[in-house]
Amino acid sequence: MLVNRVGDFFLLLAIFLIYFTFDSLDYDVVFSLASFAVEYNINIFYFDFSIIDIICFFLLLGAMGKSAQLGLHTWLPDAMEGPTPVSALIHAATMVTAGVFLIIRCSFLFEYSEIILNLMTIVGSITALFASTTALCQNDIKKVIAYSTCSQLGYMFFACGLSSYEVSFFHLSNHAFFKALLFLGAGSIIHAIVDEQDMRKMGGLKNLLPFSYAITLIGSLALTGFPFLTGFYSKDVILEIAFAKYTTLSHFSFFLGTFSAFFTAFYSTRLICLVFLNNPNGHKKTILNAKESS
C-alpha cells in the first residue's frame, strides 16, 4: 500500500501540473499543445526547469510505482501471497503493466524531454538486471515468477526510454500471456502438492503432473526468448534496438539487458529442474498424492 501511494502521489502531481499548464486533461488537447509548452520554464530554488521535464519526471515516478521499478519494486513480490489465479490475471496482465502503458500513452510528452528518456533507460535496464539476479536466489516458486515480471517490466521501460514505444507495447502484450501461463502452471503445481511453494521441497513431478510440466516448460521457453515463441519476437527486438541506437546509454542498456536475458534463462532452467526433473525432495505422502488439477 505505502509503496503504491508514493507512486500515486507523484502521478497526482503530474496530473495537477498538466492541468495547470494546459487547462485540460484531455489527451488530444495536451498533445496538440505540448510543442508550445516546451519553452515554458518554471523556477525552483533559482534554477529554471522546463515544465515538460518536470511533468515527465513526475509521470515517470508514478509509472515506476505502478510498474515496480527499482526503488518502488518491493510491493510486487509481496503481492504474490494472494491466490494464484489472481496473480495470473492482475500481476501478469493488468496491474503491473499500467505504468508502462501510461508512458506509452504519454509518449507525445516524453518525446519533448530527452533527459527523462535517458533516466527511463537507466532505470529500466538496472531494474531488468537487478530483478533477474534476485530471481536466481529465490526458493518460493511464485516469487521467482514475480521477480521475473519485475525484470521484464525493466525491458519495457528501457525500450520506452529508447523511443521504441511500439516494441515495448508488443512485449507488454506477449509477456502478459506467457507470464499468466506460468502463474497458472505454478498454481496447478502448488495445488497438486498441498500448498507447498518451496521449490527445494519439490522434484520428480514430471511424470506425476505431465500437463503442468508441459505448460510450465512452454511458458519458461517463451520467457527466455526461445526461437519461434513469443518472447523471441519481442525481447530480442528490444535488445537489437538498444544495440542499433549507437549511443552510450543504449549500449549500456543493451549489455545489462543481455546479462538479464542470460540470468532469465538460468533461473527458468533452475525452476524446471528443481520442480520437475530432480529427485523428489518433498514428503513421501505429499509426492505420492500429487495429482493433476482439473
Side-chain angles (χ1 to χ4, degrees), residues 174-213:
N174 286 349
H175 170 260
F177 284 93
F178 62 70
K179 192 52 63 71
L181 180 68
L182 274 172
F183 267 122
L184 291 171
S188 175
I189 295 158
I190 292 165
H191 183 67
I193 54 172
V194 201
D195 297 337
E196 178 59 70
Q197 296 195 18
D198 193 332
M199 295 193 297
R200 294 169 298 184
K201 296 180 183 172
M202 299 182 193
L205 296 177
K206 179 165 70 91
N207 299 326
L208 299 171
L209 309 172
F211 184 67
S212 296
Y213 173 58

mmCIF file of all heavy atoms in Angstrom, residues 174-213:
data_model
loop_
_atom_site.group_PDB
_atom_site.id
_atom_site.type_symbol
_atom_site.label_atom_id
_atom_site.label_comp_id
_atom_site.label_asym_id
_atom_site.label_seq_id
_atom_site.Cartn_x
_atom_site.Cartn_y
_atom_site.Cartn_z
ATOM 1 N N ASN A 174 2.819 -9.653 -25.230
ATOM 2 C CA ASN A 174 3.349 -11.018 -25.220
ATOM 3 C C ASN A 174 3.593 -11.505 -23.800
ATOM 4 O O ASN A 174 3.229 -12.632 -23.443
ATOM 5 C CB ASN A 174 4.676 -11.081 -25.993
ATOM 6 C CG ASN A 174 4.468 -10.990 -27.482
ATOM 7 O OD1 ASN A 174 3.342 -11.077 -27.960
ATOM 8 N ND2 ASN A 174 5.538 -10.810 -28.219
ATOM 9 N N HIS A 175 4.219 -10.638 -23.005
ATOM 10 C CA HIS A 175 4.576 -11.004 -21.635
ATOM 11 C C HIS A 175 3.326 -11.337 -20.820
ATOM 12 O O HIS A 175 3.336 -12.257 -20.010
ATOM 13 C CB HIS A 175 5.349 -9.845 -20.991
ATOM 14 C CG HIS A 175 5.566 -10.006 -19.532
ATOM 15 N ND1 HIS A 175 4.784 -9.369 -18.599
ATOM 16 C CD2 HIS A 175 6.459 -10.751 -18.831
ATOM 17 C CE1 HIS A 175 5.189 -9.721 -17.392
ATOM 18 N NE2 HIS A 175 6.199 -10.539 -17.501
ATOM 19 N N ALA A 176 2.238 -10.592 -21.052
ATOM 20 C CA ALA A 176 1.004 -10.849 -20.306
ATOM 21 C C ALA A 176 0.550 -12.298 -20.495
ATOM 22 O O ALA A 176 0.137 -12.953 -19.541
ATOM 23 C CB ALA A 176 -0.087 -9.886 -20.767
ATOM 24 N N PHE A 177 0.681 -12.803 -21.708
ATOM 25 C CA PHE A 177 0.212 -14.162 -21.982
ATOM 26 C C PHE A 177 1.127 -15.236 -21.391
ATOM 27 O O PHE A 177 0.678 -16.119 -20.673
ATOM 28 C CB PHE A 177 0.054 -14.378 -23.496
ATOM 29 C CG PHE A 177 -1.172 -13.732 -24.043
ATOM 30 C CD1 PHE A 177 -1.124 -12.449 -24.573
ATOM 31 C CD2 PHE A 177 -2.397 -14.374 -23.992
ATOM 32 C CE1 PHE A 177 -2.262 -11.830 -25.057
ATOM 33 C CE2 PHE A 177 -3.548 -13.775 -24.480
ATOM 34 C CZ PHE A 177 -3.482 -12.495 -25.008
ATOM 35 N N PHE A 178 2.434 -15.136 -21.673
ATOM 36 C CA PHE A 178 3.272 -16.256 -21.189
ATOM 37 C C PHE A 178 3.485 -16.194 -19.684
ATOM 38 O O PHE A 178 3.650 -17.222 -19.033
ATOM 39 C CB PHE A 178 4.574 -16.424 -21.989
ATOM 40 C CG PHE A 178 5.561 -15.280 -21.980
ATOM 41 C CD1 PHE A 178 6.269 -14.965 -20.838
ATOM 42 C CD2 PHE A 178 5.828 -14.572 -23.145
ATOM 43 C CE1 PHE A 178 7.206 -13.943 -20.842
ATOM 44 C CE2 PHE A 178 6.763 -13.542 -23.156
ATOM 45 C CZ PHE A 178 7.452 -13.228 -21.999
ATOM 46 N N LYS A 179 3.405 -14.981 -19.095
ATOM 47 C CA LYS A 179 3.559 -14.899 -17.635
ATOM 48 C C LYS A 179 2.296 -15.390 -16.932
ATOM 49 O O LYS A 179 2.366 -16.020 -15.872
ATOM 50 C CB LYS A 179 3.916 -13.467 -17.234
ATOM 51 C CG LYS A 179 4.378 -13.283 -15.799
ATOM 52 C CD LYS A 179 5.508 -14.223 -15.396
ATOM 53 C CE LYS A 179 6.800 -14.051 -16.145
ATOM 54 N NZ LYS A 179 7.528 -12.842 -15.831
ATOM 55 N N ALA A 180 1.116 -15.091 -17.501
ATOM 56 C CA ALA A 180 -0.128 -15.626 -16.934
ATOM 57 C C ALA A 180 -0.118 -17.154 -17.007
ATOM 58 O O ALA A 180 -0.532 -17.846 -16.071
ATOM 59 C CB ALA A 180 -1.329 -15.058 -17.686
ATOM 60 N N LEU A 181 0.401 -17.681 -18.115
ATOM 61 C CA LEU A 181 0.528 -19.133 -18.272
ATOM 62 C C LEU A 181 1.435 -19.720 -17.190
ATOM 63 O O LEU A 181 1.115 -20.747 -16.571
ATOM 64 C CB LEU A 181 1.087 -19.446 -19.659
ATOM 65 C CG LEU A 181 1.294 -20.926 -20.013
ATOM 66 C CD1 LEU A 181 -0.037 -21.640 -20.136
ATOM 67 C CD2 LEU A 181 2.074 -21.073 -21.302
ATOM 68 N N LEU A 182 2.557 -19.055 -16.932
ATOM 69 C CA LEU A 182 3.486 -19.521 -15.895
ATOM 70 C C LEU A 182 2.850 -19.489 -14.512
ATOM 71 O O LEU A 182 3.025 -20.410 -13.711
ATOM 72 C CB LEU A 182 4.752 -18.649 -15.892
ATOM 73 C CG LEU A 182 5.862 -19.054 -16.860
ATOM 74 C CD1 LEU A 182 6.958 -17.995 -16.871
ATOM 75 C CD2 LEU A 182 6.468 -20.395 -16.457
ATOM 76 N N PHE A 183 2.111 -18.421 -14.228
ATOM 77 C CA PHE A 183 1.459 -18.319 -12.917
ATOM 78 C C PHE A 183 0.415 -19.411 -12.735
ATOM 79 O O PHE A 183 0.321 -20.017 -11.668
ATOM 80 C CB PHE A 183 0.804 -16.944 -12.748
ATOM 81 C CG PHE A 183 1.696 -15.948 -12.073
ATOM 82 C CD1 PHE A 183 2.026 -14.758 -12.692
ATOM 83 C CD2 PHE A 183 2.210 -16.212 -10.810
ATOM 84 C CE1 PHE A 183 2.863 -13.847 -12.073
ATOM 85 C CE2 PHE A 183 3.047 -15.297 -10.183
ATOM 86 C CZ PHE A 183 3.374 -14.115 -10.813
ATOM 87 N N LEU A 184 -0.365 -19.661 -13.786
ATOM 88 C CA LEU A 184 -1.388 -20.710 -13.678
ATOM 89 C C LEU A 184 -0.731 -22.082 -13.545
ATOM 90 O O LEU A 184 -1.202 -22.946 -12.811
ATOM 91 C CB LEU A 184 -2.319 -20.664 -14.892
ATOM 92 C CG LEU A 184 -3.233 -19.435 -14.935
ATOM 93 C CD1 LEU A 184 -3.956 -19.340 -16.267
ATOM 94 C CD2 LEU A 184 -4.248 -19.468 -13.807
ATOM 95 N N GLY A 185 0.400 -22.266 -14.250
ATOM 96 C CA GLY A 185 1.161 -23.515 -14.101
ATOM 97 C C GLY A 185 1.655 -23.679 -12.673
ATOM 98 O O GLY A 185 1.537 -24.759 -12.070
ATOM 99 N N ALA A 186 2.192 -22.586 -12.103
ATOM 100 C CA ALA A 186 2.679 -22.620 -10.719
ATOM 101 C C ALA A 186 1.527 -22.930 -9.762
ATOM 102 O O ALA A 186 1.677 -23.693 -8.807
ATOM 103 C CB ALA A 186 3.316 -21.285 -10.361
ATOM 104 N N GLY A 187 0.360 -22.326 -10.025
ATOM 105 C CA GLY A 187 -0.815 -22.574 -9.183
ATOM 106 C C GLY A 187 -1.228 -24.024 -9.212
ATOM 107 O O GLY A 187 -1.573 -24.618 -8.174
ATOM 108 N N SER A 188 -1.171 -24.607 -10.412
ATOM 109 C CA SER A 188 -1.520 -26.025 -10.568
ATOM 110 C C SER A 188 -0.562 -26.917 -9.777
ATOM 111 O O SER A 188 -0.972 -27.868 -9.107
ATOM 112 C CB SER A 188 -1.472 -26.380 -12.061
ATOM 113 O OG SER A 188 -1.678 -27.754 -12.240
ATOM 114 N N ILE A 189 0.742 -26.573 -9.807
ATOM 115 C CA ILE A 189 1.756 -27.348 -9.075
ATOM 116 C C ILE A 189 1.528 -27.225 -7.565
ATOM 117 O O ILE A 189 1.510 -28.221 -6.834
ATOM 118 C CB ILE A 189 3.176 -26.853 -9.434
ATOM 119 C CG1 ILE A 189 3.476 -27.121 -10.908
ATOM 120 C CG2 ILE A 189 4.230 -27.520 -8.557
ATOM 121 C CD1 ILE A 189 4.564 -26.229 -11.485
ATOM 122 N N ILE A 190 1.342 -25.976 -7.108
ATOM 123 C CA ILE A 190 1.153 -25.726 -5.673
ATOM 124 C C ILE A 190 -0.083 -26.471 -5.167
ATOM 125 O O ILE A 190 -0.075 -27.079 -4.090
ATOM 126 C CB ILE A 190 1.020 -24.201 -5.406
ATOM 127 C CG1 ILE A 190 2.351 -23.500 -5.690
ATOM 128 C CG2 ILE A 190 0.584 -23.926 -3.969
ATOM 129 C CD1 ILE A 190 2.239 -21.987 -5.803
ATOM 130 N N HIS A 191 -1.158 -26.432 -5.966
ATOM 131 C CA HIS A 191 -2.405 -27.100 -5.581
ATOM 132 C C HIS A 191 -2.218 -28.621 -5.510
ATOM 133 O O HIS A 191 -2.748 -29.282 -4.624
ATOM 134 C CB HIS A 191 -3.491 -26.745 -6.601
ATOM 135 C CG HIS A 191 -4.832 -27.310 -6.257
ATOM 136 N ND1 HIS A 191 -5.557 -26.891 -5.156
ATOM 137 C CD2 HIS A 191 -5.582 -28.272 -6.853
ATOM 138 C CE1 HIS A 191 -6.690 -27.569 -5.104
ATOM 139 N NE2 HIS A 191 -6.733 -28.411 -6.119
ATOM 140 N N ALA A 192 -1.419 -29.152 -6.454
ATOM 141 C CA ALA A 192 -1.233 -30.613 -6.524
ATOM 142 C C ALA A 192 -0.460 -31.148 -5.321
ATOM 143 O O ALA A 192 -0.693 -32.274 -4.872
ATOM 144 C CB ALA A 192 -0.514 -30.987 -7.814
ATOM 145 N N ILE A 193 0.467 -30.347 -4.785
ATOM 146 C CA ILE A 193 1.283 -30.862 -3.669
ATOM 147 C C ILE A 193 0.950 -30.153 -2.351
ATOM 148 O O ILE A 193 1.813 -29.800 -1.562
ATOM 149 C CB ILE A 193 2.796 -30.797 -3.977
ATOM 150 C CG1 ILE A 193 3.208 -29.387 -4.382
ATOM 151 C CG2 ILE A 193 3.182 -31.768 -5.073
ATOM 152 C CD1 ILE A 193 4.710 -29.207 -4.510
ATOM 153 N N VAL A 194 -0.354 -29.956 -2.136
ATOM 154 C CA VAL A 194 -0.909 -29.468 -0.865
ATOM 155 C C VAL A 194 -0.278 -28.132 -0.445
ATOM 156 O O VAL A 194 0.328 -28.028 0.630
ATOM 157 C CB VAL A 194 -0.754 -30.521 0.270
ATOM 158 C CG1 VAL A 194 -1.755 -30.232 1.397
ATOM 159 C CG2 VAL A 194 -0.953 -31.921 -0.248
ATOM 160 N N ASP A 195 -0.384 -27.139 -1.319
ATOM 161 C CA ASP A 195 0.008 -25.760 -0.999
ATOM 162 C C ASP A 195 1.463 -25.587 -0.581
ATOM 163 O O ASP A 195 1.787 -24.712 0.225
ATOM 164 C CB ASP A 195 -0.911 -25.169 0.091
ATOM 165 C CG ASP A 195 -2.351 -25.069 -0.391
ATOM 166 O OD1 ASP A 195 -2.545 -25.031 -1.624
ATOM 167 O OD2 ASP A 195 -3.273 -25.038 0.435
ATOM 168 N N GLU A 196 2.348 -26.399 -1.131
ATOM 169 C CA GLU A 196 3.784 -26.244 -0.868
ATOM 170 C C GLU A 196 4.373 -25.335 -1.950
ATOM 171 O O GLU A 196 4.209 -25.609 -3.131
ATOM 172 C CB GLU A 196 4.467 -27.618 -0.891
ATOM 173 C CG GLU A 196 5.970 -27.567 -0.668
ATOM 174 C CD GLU A 196 6.322 -26.925 0.664
ATOM 175 O OE1 GLU A 196 6.047 -27.557 1.703
ATOM 176 O OE2 GLU A 196 6.837 -25.790 0.647
ATOM 177 N N GLN A 197 5.048 -24.236 -1.524
ATOM 178 C CA GLN A 197 5.589 -23.300 -2.514
ATOM 179 C C GLN A 197 7.115 -23.322 -2.595
ATOM 180 O O GLN A 197 7.687 -22.725 -3.500
ATOM 181 C CB GLN A 197 5.133 -21.868 -2.186
ATOM 182 C CG GLN A 197 3.622 -21.704 -2.279
ATOM 183 C CD GLN A 197 3.193 -20.248 -2.320
ATOM 184 O OE1 GLN A 197 3.971 -19.353 -2.597
ATOM 185 N NE2 GLN A 197 1.922 -20.010 -2.048
ATOM 186 N N ASP A 198 7.759 -24.009 -1.665
ATOM 187 C CA ASP A 198 9.224 -24.037 -1.640
ATOM 188 C C ASP A 198 9.727 -25.039 -2.683
ATOM 189 O O ASP A 198 9.464 -26.237 -2.591
ATOM 190 C CB ASP A 198 9.711 -24.430 -0.242
ATOM 191 C CG ASP A 198 11.208 -24.174 -0.076
ATOM 192 O OD1 ASP A 198 11.931 -24.212 -1.095
ATOM 193 O OD2 ASP A 198 11.644 -23.951 1.061
ATOM 194 N N MET A 199 10.485 -24.540 -3.667
ATOM 195 C CA MET A 199 10.945 -25.414 -4.759
ATOM 196 C C MET A 199 11.912 -26.486 -4.270
ATOM 197 O O MET A 199 12.073 -27.520 -4.907
ATOM 198 C CB MET A 199 11.613 -24.577 -5.861
ATOM 199 C CG MET A 199 10.670 -23.633 -6.556
ATOM 200 S SD MET A 199 11.384 -22.951 -8.071
ATOM 201 C CE MET A 199 12.771 -22.039 -7.443
ATOM 202 N N ARG A 200 12.565 -26.232 -3.126
ATOM 203 C CA ARG A 200 13.520 -27.222 -2.598
ATOM 204 C C ARG A 200 12.801 -28.458 -2.070
ATOM 205 O O ARG A 200 13.418 -29.495 -1.845
ATOM 206 C CB ARG A 200 14.357 -26.589 -1.484
ATOM 207 C CG ARG A 200 15.280 -25.476 -1.967
ATOM 208 C CD ARG A 200 15.876 -24.705 -0.826
ATOM 209 N NE ARG A 200 14.856 -24.026 -0.028
ATOM 210 C CZ ARG A 200 15.108 -23.219 0.995
ATOM 211 N NH1 ARG A 200 16.365 -22.984 1.353
ATOM 212 N NH2 ARG A 200 14.137 -22.641 1.675
ATOM 213 N N LYS A 201 11.482 -28.333 -1.846
ATOM 214 C CA LYS A 201 10.711 -29.475 -1.346
ATOM 215 C C LYS A 201 9.869 -30.113 -2.449
ATOM 216 O O LYS A 201 8.902 -30.796 -2.184
ATOM 217 C CB LYS A 201 9.799 -29.026 -0.195
ATOM 218 C CG LYS A 201 10.570 -28.540 1.026
ATOM 219 C CD LYS A 201 9.629 -28.103 2.121
ATOM 220 C CE LYS A 201 10.401 -27.546 3.311
ATOM 221 N NZ LYS A 201 9.496 -26.944 4.309
ATOM 222 N N MET A 202 10.240 -29.828 -3.689
ATOM 223 C CA MET A 202 9.526 -30.443 -4.822
ATOM 224 C C MET A 202 10.477 -31.423 -5.511
ATOM 225 O O MET A 202 11.363 -31.964 -4.885
ATOM 226 C CB MET A 202 9.040 -29.356 -5.791
ATOM 227 C CG MET A 202 8.067 -28.369 -5.163
ATOM 228 S SD MET A 202 7.493 -27.160 -6.353
ATOM 229 C CE MET A 202 6.725 -25.961 -5.279
ATOM 230 N N GLY A 203 10.299 -31.628 -6.790
ATOM 231 C CA GLY A 203 11.167 -32.541 -7.543
ATOM 232 C C GLY A 203 10.425 -33.789 -7.959
ATOM 233 O O GLY A 203 9.508 -34.247 -7.275
ATOM 234 N N GLY A 204 10.812 -34.324 -9.112
ATOM 235 C CA GLY A 204 10.231 -35.578 -9.580
ATOM 236 C C GLY A 204 8.786 -35.486 -10.012
ATOM 237 O O GLY A 204 8.089 -36.499 -10.064
ATOM 238 N N LEU A 205 8.301 -34.282 -10.337
ATOM 239 C CA LEU A 205 6.875 -34.127 -10.662
ATOM 240 C C LEU A 205 6.591 -34.272 -12.161
ATOM 241 O O LEU A 205 5.446 -34.172 -12.582
ATOM 242 C CB LEU A 205 6.376 -32.755 -10.180
ATOM 243 C CG LEU A 205 6.413 -32.511 -8.664
ATOM 244 C CD1 LEU A 205 5.959 -31.101 -8.334
ATOM 245 C CD2 LEU A 205 5.543 -33.520 -7.932
ATOM 246 N N LYS A 206 7.653 -34.508 -12.943
ATOM 247 C CA LYS A 206 7.475 -34.579 -14.408
ATOM 248 C C LYS A 206 6.465 -35.661 -14.805
ATOM 249 O O LYS A 206 5.603 -35.439 -15.649
ATOM 250 C CB LYS A 206 8.835 -34.853 -15.060
ATOM 251 C CG LYS A 206 8.791 -34.985 -16.572
ATOM 252 C CD LYS A 206 10.188 -34.897 -17.154
ATOM 253 C CE LYS A 206 11.009 -36.134 -16.799
ATOM 254 N NZ LYS A 206 10.870 -37.181 -17.837
ATOM 255 N N ASN A 207 6.579 -36.808 -14.189
ATOM 256 C CA ASN A 207 5.690 -37.922 -14.555
ATOM 257 C C ASN A 207 4.337 -37.846 -13.849
ATOM 258 O O ASN A 207 3.350 -38.385 -14.332
ATOM 259 C CB ASN A 207 6.365 -39.261 -14.222
ATOM 260 C CG ASN A 207 7.655 -39.434 -14.998
ATOM 261 O OD1 ASN A 207 7.760 -38.983 -16.138
ATOM 262 N ND2 ASN A 207 8.656 -40.056 -14.380
ATOM 263 N N LEU A 208 4.315 -37.173 -12.679
ATOM 264 C CA LEU A 208 3.065 -37.086 -11.922
ATOM 265 C C LEU A 208 2.155 -35.982 -12.459
ATOM 266 O O LEU A 208 0.937 -36.098 -12.433
ATOM 267 C CB LEU A 208 3.367 -36.821 -10.439
ATOM 268 C CG LEU A 208 4.192 -37.901 -9.729
ATOM 269 C CD1 LEU A 208 4.616 -37.428 -8.354
ATOM 270 C CD2 LEU A 208 3.372 -39.183 -9.602
ATOM 271 N N LEU A 209 2.758 -34.885 -12.930
ATOM 272 C CA LEU A 209 1.983 -33.744 -13.436
ATOM 273 C C LEU A 209 2.421 -33.406 -14.867
ATOM 274 O O LEU A 209 3.008 -32.350 -15.117
ATOM 275 C CB LEU A 209 2.194 -32.508 -12.537
ATOM 276 C CG LEU A 209 1.996 -32.676 -11.030
ATOM 277 C CD1 LEU A 209 2.436 -31.408 -10.292
ATOM 278 C CD2 LEU A 209 0.540 -32.986 -10.703
ATOM 279 N N PRO A 210 2.154 -34.304 -15.813
ATOM 280 C CA PRO A 210 2.688 -34.099 -17.179
ATOM 281 C C PRO A 210 2.154 -32.828 -17.858
ATOM 282 O O PRO A 210 2.893 -32.121 -18.547
ATOM 283 C CB PRO A 210 2.237 -35.353 -17.939
ATOM 284 C CG PRO A 210 1.122 -35.927 -17.122
ATOM 285 C CD PRO A 210 1.386 -35.553 -15.708
ATOM 286 N N PHE A 211 0.858 -32.524 -17.629
ATOM 287 C CA PHE A 211 0.278 -31.340 -18.287
ATOM 288 C C PHE A 211 0.872 -30.054 -17.704
ATOM 289 O O PHE A 211 1.246 -29.143 -18.441
ATOM 290 C CB PHE A 211 -1.250 -31.351 -18.138
ATOM 291 C CG PHE A 211 -1.925 -30.215 -18.865
ATOM 292 C CD1 PHE A 211 -1.907 -30.174 -20.252
ATOM 293 C CD2 PHE A 211 -2.555 -29.195 -18.174
ATOM 294 C CE1 PHE A 211 -2.510 -29.126 -20.940
ATOM 295 C CE2 PHE A 211 -3.156 -28.141 -18.850
ATOM 296 C CZ PHE A 211 -3.140 -28.113 -20.231
ATOM 297 N N SER A 212 0.977 -30.009 -16.376
ATOM 298 C CA SER A 212 1.587 -28.834 -15.724
ATOM 299 C C SER A 212 3.037 -28.669 -16.179
ATOM 300 O O SER A 212 3.523 -27.547 -16.379
ATOM 301 C CB SER A 212 1.557 -28.980 -14.200
ATOM 302 O OG SER A 212 0.228 -29.013 -13.745
ATOM 303 N N TYR A 213 3.727 -29.784 -16.337
ATOM 304 C CA TYR A 213 5.121 -29.747 -16.809
ATOM 305 C C TYR A 213 5.186 -29.141 -18.211
ATOM 306 O O TYR A 213 6.008 -28.272 -18.491
ATOM 307 C CB TYR A 213 5.707 -31.163 -16.804
ATOM 308 C CG TYR A 213 7.081 -31.273 -17.424
ATOM 309 C CD1 TYR A 213 8.142 -30.527 -16.937
ATOM 310 C CD2 TYR A 213 7.308 -32.131 -18.506
ATOM 311 C CE1 TYR A 213 9.398 -30.615 -17.492
ATOM 312 C CE2 TYR A 213 8.571 -32.244 -19.072
ATOM 313 C CZ TYR A 213 9.612 -31.473 -18.571
ATOM 314 O OH TYR A 213 10.859 -31.569 -19.130
#
